[in-house]
Amino acid sequence: MKRILVWGAALANYGVLAQWGPWTEDWSGGLSAWHGDTAAFSSGDGLNLNAPGAGTYALWRDGLGARPAVASGRVRLDFNPSSVNFAFVELRDTAAGADAGYRLEFGRTSDQLRLWRIPDGFLLAASPTGLLDRAASVVEWRWDWDSAGAHRLDWRLTDSLGTALDSGSAWGNRDSSVVRLGRFRLGATVTATRARGIRWGSLWFGAAEF
């Protein structure tokens, strides 16, 4: 029977069972827990994109979990995002042959936060159009996937000086087609002029046992 792992069980069993216990990443300990394009990021006081040029760059860590699940974090964009300059977070099923999961994008389409299903692009939840139509944005975000399969986004938007600009939430469509969550992935697609324009703050993630 699925249940949310408590902190104690997560710390005791994470390495043995490979289950997604609740974890926090503040980037102070480097990138040893992460795989991917580690040379394109620098960590310490947050996680900074420090890419050599245009492209898509990502980090990921693997585990095992299922719904209900919650992810939250903070990301700063030092530019007005577009279809070629945006940040993303993904939760994927990594079973053999699987191409399924969920992807949260920051500003790629209509300057929105948009949560959609991999691989077909079915939209699950979104912020109002134009939310990130700004020269710079700091987004505190949260994604909830409840036991009934419903998806919810919450956000708080500030400028680079911390002035509150917007906050809100959006309940989206139900979807439980993704059976398990095996990979947490975050990153960005950028042009050469934006290759150092994204900074991630602390992340938090927790999921039920698979």
PDB file of all heavy atoms in Angstrom, residues 136-160:
ATOM      1  N   ALA A 136      13.234  40.216 -16.089  1.00  0.00           N
ATOM      2  CA  ALA A 136      13.807  39.254 -15.145  1.00  0.00           C
ATOM      3  C   ALA A 136      12.699  38.800 -14.209  1.00  0.00           C
ATOM      4  O   ALA A 136      11.794  39.573 -13.891  1.00  0.00           O
ATOM      5  CB  ALA A 136      14.955  39.866 -14.353  1.00  0.00           C
ATOM      6  N   SER A 137      12.770  37.556 -13.769  1.00  0.00           N
ATOM      7  CA  SER A 137      11.748  36.994 -12.892  1.00  0.00           C
ATOM      8  C   SER A 137      12.385  36.020 -11.911  1.00  0.00           C
ATOM      9  O   SER A 137      13.323  35.305 -12.258  1.00  0.00           O
ATOM     10  CB  SER A 137      10.687  36.229 -13.693  1.00  0.00           C
ATOM     11  OG  SER A 137      10.064  37.030 -14.661  1.00  0.00           O
ATOM     12  N   VAL A 138      11.856  36.003 -10.696  1.00  0.00           N
ATOM     13  CA  VAL A 138      12.200  34.983  -9.711  1.00  0.00           C
ATOM     14  C   VAL A 138      10.904  34.252  -9.371  1.00  0.00           C
ATOM     15  O   VAL A 138       9.935  34.871  -8.920  1.00  0.00           O
ATOM     16  CB  VAL A 138      12.823  35.592  -8.444  1.00  0.00           C
ATOM     17  CG1 VAL A 138      13.165  34.495  -7.445  1.00  0.00           C
ATOM     18  CG2 VAL A 138      14.063  36.407  -8.799  1.00  0.00           C
ATOM     19  N   VAL A 139      10.880  32.952  -9.612  1.00  0.00           N
ATOM     20  CA  VAL A 139       9.665  32.166  -9.442  1.00  0.00           C
ATOM     21  C   VAL A 139       9.858  31.147  -8.331  1.00  0.00           C
ATOM     22  O   VAL A 139      10.747  30.288  -8.413  1.00  0.00           O
ATOM     23  CB  VAL A 139       9.285  31.421 -10.737  1.00  0.00           C
ATOM     24  CG1 VAL A 139       7.934  30.718 -10.567  1.00  0.00           C
ATOM     25  CG2 VAL A 139       9.252  32.365 -11.927  1.00  0.00           C
ATOM     26  N   GLU A 140       9.038  31.238  -7.297  1.00  0.00           N
ATOM     27  CA  GLU A 140       8.921  30.172  -6.313  1.00  0.00           C
ATOM     28  C   GLU A 140       7.736  29.322  -6.755  1.00  0.00           C
ATOM     29  O   GLU A 140       6.624  29.832  -6.903  1.00  0.00           O
ATOM     30  CB  GLU A 140       8.691  30.746  -4.921  1.00  0.00           C
ATOM     31  CG  GLU A 140       9.863  31.570  -4.415  1.00  0.00           C
ATOM     32  CD  GLU A 140       9.585  32.210  -3.065  1.00  0.00           C
ATOM     33  OE1 GLU A 140       8.542  31.889  -2.452  1.00  0.00           O
ATOM     34  OE2 GLU A 140      10.403  33.036  -2.633  1.00  0.00           O
ATOM     35  N   TRP A 141       7.962  28.039  -6.973  1.00  0.00           N
ATOM     36  CA  TRP A 141       6.950  27.190  -7.588  1.00  0.00           C
ATOM     37  C   TRP A 141       6.739  25.910  -6.776  1.00  0.00           C
ATOM     38  O   TRP A 141       7.597  25.480  -6.016  1.00  0.00           O
ATOM     39  CB  TRP A 141       7.361  26.803  -9.014  1.00  0.00           C
ATOM     40  CG  TRP A 141       8.687  26.100  -9.078  1.00  0.00           C
ATOM     41  CD1 TRP A 141       9.927  26.674  -9.155  1.00  0.00           C
ATOM     42  CD2 TRP A 141       8.911  24.692  -8.992  1.00  0.00           C
ATOM     43  NE1 TRP A 141      10.906  25.705  -9.142  1.00  0.00           N
ATOM     44  CE2 TRP A 141      10.309  24.479  -9.047  1.00  0.00           C
ATOM     45  CE3 TRP A 141       8.068  23.578  -8.891  1.00  0.00           C
ATOM     46  CZ2 TRP A 141      10.867  23.208  -8.992  1.00  0.00           C
ATOM     47  CZ3 TRP A 141       8.628  22.310  -8.839  1.00  0.00           C
ATOM     48  CH2 TRP A 141      10.011  22.143  -8.900  1.00  0.00           C
ATOM     49  N   ARG A 142       5.573  25.330  -6.985  1.00  0.00           N
ATOM     50  CA  ARG A 142       5.249  24.046  -6.346  1.00  0.00           C
ATOM     51  C   ARG A 142       4.310  23.272  -7.262  1.00  0.00           C
ATOM     52  O   ARG A 142       3.358  23.838  -7.808  1.00  0.00           O
ATOM     53  CB  ARG A 142       4.598  24.269  -4.982  1.00  0.00           C
ATOM     54  CG  ARG A 142       4.127  22.981  -4.303  1.00  0.00           C
ATOM     55  CD  ARG A 142       3.519  23.254  -2.954  1.00  0.00           C
ATOM     56  NE  ARG A 142       2.822  22.095  -2.420  1.00  0.00           N
ATOM     57  CZ  ARG A 142       3.029  21.553  -1.223  1.00  0.00           C
ATOM     58  NH1 ARG A 142       3.937  22.090  -0.426  1.00  0.00           N
ATOM     59  NH2 ARG A 142       2.344  20.505  -0.825  1.00  0.00           N
ATOM     60  N   TRP A 143       4.594  21.983  -7.413  1.00  0.00           N
ATOM     61  CA  TRP A 143       3.743  21.076  -8.183  1.00  0.00           C
ATOM     62  C   TRP A 143       3.272  19.958  -7.269  1.00  0.00           C
ATOM     63  O   TRP A 143       4.081  19.320  -6.596  1.00  0.00           O
ATOM     64  CB  TRP A 143       4.527  20.493  -9.355  1.00  0.00           C
ATOM     65  CG  TRP A 143       3.879  19.296 -10.008  1.00  0.00           C
ATOM     66  CD1 TRP A 143       2.748  19.293 -10.761  1.00  0.00           C
ATOM     67  CD2 TRP A 143       4.334  17.936  -9.956  1.00  0.00           C
ATOM     68  NE1 TRP A 143       2.469  18.009 -11.189  1.00  0.00           N
ATOM     69  CE2 TRP A 143       3.430  17.162 -10.709  1.00  0.00           C
ATOM     70  CE3 TRP A 143       5.429  17.307  -9.351  1.00  0.00           C
ATOM     71  CZ2 TRP A 143       3.575  15.777 -10.865  1.00  0.00           C
ATOM     72  CZ3 TRP A 143       5.572  15.933  -9.503  1.00  0.00           C
ATOM     73  CH2 TRP A 143       4.660  15.194 -10.255  1.00  0.00           C
ATOM     74  N   ASP A 144       1.955  19.744  -7.214  1.00  0.00           N
ATOM     75  CA  ASP A 144       1.349  18.662  -6.438  1.00  0.00           C
ATOM     76  C   ASP A 144       0.647  17.690  -7.381  1.00  0.00           C
ATOM     77  O   ASP A 144      -0.094  18.114  -8.290  1.00  0.00           O
ATOM     78  CB  ASP A 144       0.319  19.210  -5.452  1.00  0.00           C
ATOM     79  CG  ASP A 144       0.939  19.929  -4.276  1.00  0.00           C
ATOM     80  OD1 ASP A 144       1.241  21.134  -4.413  1.00  0.00           O
ATOM     81  OD2 ASP A 144       1.106  19.298  -3.227  1.00  0.00           O
ATOM     82  N   TRP A 145       0.851  16.416  -7.140  1.00  0.00           N
ATOM     83  CA  TRP A 145       0.150  15.349  -7.864  1.00  0.00           C
ATOM     84  C   TRP A 145      -0.491  14.475  -6.801  1.00  0.00           C
ATOM     85  O   TRP A 145       0.208  13.753  -6.093  1.00  0.00           O
ATOM     86  CB  TRP A 145       1.153  14.575  -8.697  1.00  0.00           C
ATOM     87  CG  TRP A 145       0.574  13.522  -9.589  1.00  0.00           C
ATOM     88  CD1 TRP A 145      -0.649  13.523 -10.190  1.00  0.00           C
ATOM     89  CD2 TRP A 145       1.231  12.312  -9.995  1.00  0.00           C
ATOM     90  NE1 TRP A 145      -0.803  12.392 -10.949  1.00  0.00           N
ATOM     91  CE2 TRP A 145       0.343  11.641 -10.857  1.00  0.00           C
ATOM     92  CE3 TRP A 145       2.478  11.753  -9.734  1.00  0.00           C
ATOM     93  CZ2 TRP A 145       0.656  10.415 -11.434  1.00  0.00           C
ATOM     94  CZ3 TRP A 145       2.799  10.536 -10.320  1.00  0.00           C
ATOM     95  CH2 TRP A 145       1.894   9.879 -11.158  1.00  0.00           C
ATOM     96  N   ASP A 146      -1.814  14.578  -6.644  1.00  0.00           N
ATOM     97  CA  ASP A 146      -2.449  13.938  -5.497  1.00  0.00           C
ATOM     98  C   ASP A 146      -2.817  12.478  -5.793  1.00  0.00           C
ATOM     99  O   ASP A 146      -2.606  11.964  -6.894  1.00  0.00           O
ATOM    100  CB  ASP A 146      -3.646  14.750  -4.998  1.00  0.00           C
ATOM    101  CG  ASP A 146      -4.845  14.748  -5.933  1.00  0.00           C
ATOM    102  OD1 ASP A 146      -4.952  13.872  -6.811  1.00  0.00           O
ATOM    103  OD2 ASP A 146      -5.699  15.652  -5.779  1.00  0.00           O
ATOM    104  N   SER A 147      -3.344  11.818  -4.772  1.00  0.00           N
ATOM    105  CA  SER A 147      -3.608  10.383  -4.881  1.00  0.00           C
ATOM    106  C   SER A 147      -4.681  10.058  -5.901  1.00  0.00           C
ATOM    107  O   SER A 147      -4.744   8.926  -6.401  1.00  0.00           O
ATOM    108  CB  SER A 147      -4.011   9.827  -3.510  1.00  0.00           C
ATOM    109  OG  SER A 147      -5.158  10.509  -3.011  1.00  0.00           O
ATOM    110  N   ALA A 148      -5.525  11.057  -6.254  1.00  0.00           N
ATOM    111  CA  ALA A 148      -6.559  10.848  -7.265  1.00  0.00           C
ATOM    112  C   ALA A 148      -6.079  11.179  -8.672  1.00  0.00           C
ATOM    113  O   ALA A 148      -6.845  11.089  -9.628  1.00  0.00           O
ATOM    114  CB  ALA A 148      -7.794  11.694  -6.928  1.00  0.00           C
ATOM    115  N   GLY A 149      -4.813  11.601  -8.808  1.00  0.00           N
ATOM    116  CA  GLY A 149      -4.260  11.916 -10.110  1.00  0.00           C
ATOM    117  C   GLY A 149      -4.399  13.364 -10.526  1.00  0.00           C
ATOM    118  O   GLY A 149      -4.044  13.718 -11.657  1.00  0.00           O
ATOM    119  N   ALA A 150      -4.903  14.231  -9.647  1.00  0.00           N
ATOM    120  CA  ALA A 150      -5.063  15.648  -9.988  1.00  0.00           C
ATOM    121  C   ALA A 150      -3.730  16.380  -9.859  1.00  0.00           C
ATOM    122  O   ALA A 150      -2.934  16.094  -8.962  1.00  0.00           O
ATOM    123  CB  ALA A 150      -6.105  16.296  -9.087  1.00  0.00           C
ATOM    124  N   HIS A 151      -3.515  17.347 -10.744  1.00  0.00           N
ATOM    125  CA  HIS A 151      -2.287  18.138 -10.757  1.00  0.00           C
ATOM    126  C   HIS A 151      -2.597  19.583 -10.391  1.00  0.00           C
ATOM    127  O   HIS A 151      -3.601  20.150 -10.832  1.00  0.00           O
ATOM    128  CB  HIS A 151      -1.648  18.101 -12.146  1.00  0.00           C
ATOM    129  CG  HIS A 151      -1.178  16.739 -12.544  1.00  0.00           C
ATOM    130  ND1 HIS A 151       0.127  16.328 -12.375  1.00  0.00           N
ATOM    131  CD2 HIS A 151      -1.841  15.689 -13.083  1.00  0.00           C
ATOM    132  CE1 HIS A 151       0.247  15.083 -12.807  1.00  0.00           C
ATOM    133  NE2 HIS A 151      -0.929  14.673 -13.246  1.00  0.00           N
ATOM    134  N   ARG A 152      -1.711  20.183  -9.599  1.00  0.00           N
ATOM    135  CA  ARG A 152      -1.883  21.565  -9.181  1.00  0.00           C
ATOM    136  C   ARG A 152      -0.547  22.290  -9.222  1.00  0.00           C
ATOM    137  O   ARG A 152       0.487  21.744  -8.820  1.00  0.00           O
ATOM    138  CB  ARG A 152      -2.464  21.627  -7.759  1.00  0.00           C
ATOM    139  CG  ARG A 152      -2.499  23.038  -7.180  1.00  0.00           C
ATOM    140  CD  ARG A 152      -3.114  23.079  -5.807  1.00  0.00           C
ATOM    141  NE  ARG A 152      -2.907  24.357  -5.159  1.00  0.00           N
ATOM    142  CZ  ARG A 152      -3.787  24.950  -4.365  1.00  0.00           C
ATOM    143  NH1 ARG A 152      -4.948  24.381  -4.113  1.00  0.00           N
ATOM    144  NH2 ARG A 152      -3.514  26.116  -3.809  1.00  0.00           N
ATOM    145  N   LEU A 153      -0.569  23.526  -9.706  1.00  0.00           N
ATOM    146  CA  LEU A 153       0.586  24.412  -9.692  1.00  0.00           C
ATOM    147  C   LEU A 153       0.323  25.578  -8.748  1.00  0.00           C
ATOM    148  O   LEU A 153      -0.777  26.146  -8.740  1.00  0.00           O
ATOM    149  CB  LEU A 153       0.858  24.977 -11.083  1.00  0.00           C
ATOM    150  CG  LEU A 153       1.460  24.065 -12.137  1.00  0.00           C
ATOM    151  CD1 LEU A 153       1.601  24.833 -13.454  1.00  0.00           C
ATOM    152  CD2 LEU A 153       2.805  23.530 -11.687  1.00  0.00           C
ATOM    153  N   ASP A 154       1.326  25.950  -7.990  1.00  0.00           N
ATOM    154  CA  ASP A 154       1.289  27.168  -7.176  1.00  0.00           C
ATOM    155  C   ASP A 154       2.548  27.965  -7.487  1.00  0.00           C
ATOM    156  O   ASP A 154       3.613  27.389  -7.731  1.00  0.00           O
ATOM    157  CB  ASP A 154       1.260  26.833  -5.680  1.00  0.00           C
ATOM    158  CG  ASP A 154      -0.045  26.203  -5.250  1.00  0.00           C
ATOM    159  OD1 ASP A 154      -0.973  26.947  -4.912  1.00  0.00           O
ATOM    160  OD2 ASP A 154      -0.122  24.958  -5.265  1.00  0.00           O
ATOM    161  N   TRP A 155       2.442  29.291  -7.461  1.00  0.00           N
ATOM    162  CA  TRP A 155       3.603  30.111  -7.757  1.00  0.00           C
ATOM    163  C   TRP A 155       3.555  31.433  -7.004  1.00  0.00           C
ATOM    164  O   TRP A 155       2.486  31.931  -6.634  1.00  0.00           O
ATOM    165  CB  TRP A 155       3.703  30.397  -9.258  1.00  0.00           C
ATOM    166  CG  TRP A 155       2.550  31.188  -9.808  1.00  0.00           C
ATOM    167  CD1 TRP A 155       2.403  32.545  -9.863  1.00  0.00           C
ATOM    168  CD2 TRP A 155       1.345  30.643 -10.351  1.00  0.00           C
ATOM    169  NE1 TRP A 155       1.196  32.884 -10.416  1.00  0.00           N
ATOM    170  CE2 TRP A 155       0.531  31.736 -10.731  1.00  0.00           C
ATOM    171  CE3 TRP A 155       0.874  29.335 -10.570  1.00  0.00           C
ATOM    172  CZ2 TRP A 155      -0.725  31.560 -11.303  1.00  0.00           C
ATOM    173  CZ3 TRP A 155      -0.377  29.172 -11.139  1.00  0.00           C
ATOM    174  CH2 TRP A 155      -1.154  30.276 -11.497  1.00  0.00           C
ATOM    175  N   ARG A 156       4.734  31.968  -6.771  1.00  0.00           N
ATOM    176  CA  ARG A 156       4.905  33.316  -6.252  1.00  0.00           C
ATOM    177  C   ARG A 156       6.004  33.963  -7.074  1.00  0.00           C
ATOM    178  O   ARG A 156       7.091  33.399  -7.189  1.00  0.00           O
ATOM    179  CB  ARG A 156       5.280  33.306  -4.773  1.00  0.00           C
ATOM    180  CG  ARG A 156       5.476  34.707  -4.181  1.00  0.00           C
ATOM    181  CD  ARG A 156       5.764  34.643  -2.683  1.00  0.00           C
ATOM    182  NE  ARG A 156       5.960  35.967  -2.120  1.00  0.00           N
ATOM    183  CZ  ARG A 156       7.143  36.565  -2.009  1.00  0.00           C
ATOM    184  NH1 ARG A 156       8.246  35.942  -2.419  1.00  0.00           N
ATOM    185  NH2 ARG A 156       7.244  37.767  -1.486  1.00  0.00           N
ATOM    186  N   LEU A 157       5.721  35.107  -7.643  1.00  0.00           N
ATOM    187  CA  LEU A 157       6.643  35.771  -8.549  1.00  0.00           C
ATOM    188  C   LEU A 157       7.145  37.070  -7.934  1.00  0.00           C
ATOM    189  O   LEU A 157       6.358  37.876  -7.433  1.00  0.00           O
ATOM    190  CB  LEU A 157       5.935  36.062  -9.871  1.00  0.00           C
ATOM    191  CG  LEU A 157       6.764  36.723 -10.973  1.00  0.00           C
ATOM    192  CD1 LEU A 157       7.806  35.757 -11.503  1.00  0.00           C
ATOM    193  CD2 LEU A 157       5.837  37.181 -12.109  1.00  0.00           C
ATOM    194  N   THR A 158       8.467  37.270  -7.972  1.00  0.00           N
ATOM    195  CA  THR A 158       9.069  38.525  -7.505  1.00  0.00           C
ATOM    196  C   THR A 158      10.047  39.019  -8.569  1.00  0.00           C
ATOM    197  O   THR A 158      10.431  38.283  -9.477  1.00  0.00           O
ATOM    198  CB  THR A 158       9.819  38.345  -6.172  1.00  0.00           C
ATOM    199  OG1 THR A 158      10.961  37.513  -6.387  1.00  0.00           O
ATOM    200  CG2 THR A 158       8.913  37.741  -5.111  1.00  0.00           C
ATOM    201  N   ASP A 159      10.465  40.267  -8.401  1.00  0.00           N
ATOM    202  CA  ASP A 159      11.542  40.757  -9.253  1.00  0.00           C
ATOM    203  C   ASP A 159      12.875  40.408  -8.603  1.00  0.00           C
ATOM    204  O   ASP A 159      12.927  39.770  -7.541  1.00  0.00           O
ATOM    205  CB  ASP A 159      11.403  42.250  -9.545  1.00  0.00           C
ATOM    206  CG  ASP A 159      11.519  43.134  -8.301  1.00  0.00           C
ATOM    207  OD1 ASP A 159      12.009  42.659  -7.259  1.00  0.00           O
ATOM    208  OD2 ASP A 159      11.112  44.314  -8.375  1.00  0.00           O
ATOM    209  N   SER A 160      13.982  40.820  -9.209  1.00  0.00           N
ATOM    210  CA  SER A 160      15.296  40.443  -8.707  1.00  0.00           C
ATOM    211  C   SER A 160      15.641  41.086  -7.365  1.00  0.00           C
ATOM    212  O   SER A 160      16.581  40.659  -6.692  1.00  0.00           O
ATOM    213  CB  SER A 160      16.367  40.805  -9.740  1.00  0.00           C
ATOM    214  OG  SER A 160      16.314  42.191 -10.044  1.00  0.00           O
TER     215      SER A 160
END
